[in-house]
Amino acid sequence: MLAVLLVGSFAFAQESKKISTYNYGYNGMEYVVMGTNETTIVSTFNSKHQIKDEVAAKVYYEIKDNNFTTGDTIIINANNAKVTGKCYINKRGKLTSINFYYEKVEWDNGLTEIYKKA
């Protein structure tokens, strides 16, 4: 009977979810694409070091492949996290600047980090 109870509790146990805030992050140009007619620079703000390069590249392709406007919230699926943030797009001549501000990072291990300005 005890074995059945233990197996049942493990089967229905949920992963523990932990939520924390952070007020630091990496800011800077992370991804540059130079084409024949246009240059695009992706900058990230409040980013997490482990995934900043991957997320910047995915932001570029998400913006390129979809119709987003400046100020839209987008979700980027990285290898070990899901990042939610706001994207601001500025075009001047042949230069496009994409600024992506991290708002929330949901790690695969159950930890959710929310950016909160200090």
Side-chain angles (χ1 to χ4, degrees):
M1 184 68 177
L2 182 61
V4 172
L5 181 62
L6 287 174
V7 170
S9 64
F10 283 118
F12 294 107
Q14 296 179 357
E15 282 186 30
S16 63
K17 301 274 182 182
K18 183 178 178 188
I19 297 174
S20 69
T21 60
Y22 70 100
N23 60 4
Y24 58 88
Y26 292 86
N27 301 331
M29 290 188 296
E30 304 299 339
Y31 196 72
V32 178
V33 178
M34 297 179 72
T36 55
N37 296 326
E38 183 178 58
T39 299
T40 303
I41 299 171
V42 179
S43 298
T44 60
F45 298 88
N46 315 318
S47 65
K48 303 305 284 184
H49 179 71
Q50 304 91 318
I51 56 173
K52 64 183 178 66
D53 296 331
E54 177 187 4
V55 169
K58 288 187 175 193
V59 165
Y60 169 76
Y61 288 106
E62 190 71 24
I63 298 299
K64 179 181 169 206
D65 295 342
N66 295 295
N67 249 348
F68 287 105
T69 59
T70 192
D72 283 351
T73 297
I74 63 173
I75 297 172
I76 301 296
N77 290 307
N79 285 333
N80 57 354
K82 180 170 75 170
V83 179
T84 303
K86 285 223 185 268
C87 198
Y88 297 93
I89 305 163
N90 299 310
K91 292 185 179 189
R92 291 198 179 149
K94 294 182 178 185
L95 177 65
T96 301
S97 171
I98 301 171
N99 296 324
F100 182 72
Y101 291 82
Y102 282 53
E103 293 178 335
K104 178 172 64 171
V105 180
E106 298 173 76
W107 297 98
D108 289 346
N109 66 5
L111 173 64
T112 297
E113 294 182 287
I114 300 171
Y115 179 76
K116 188 171 188 173
K117 197 171 189 177

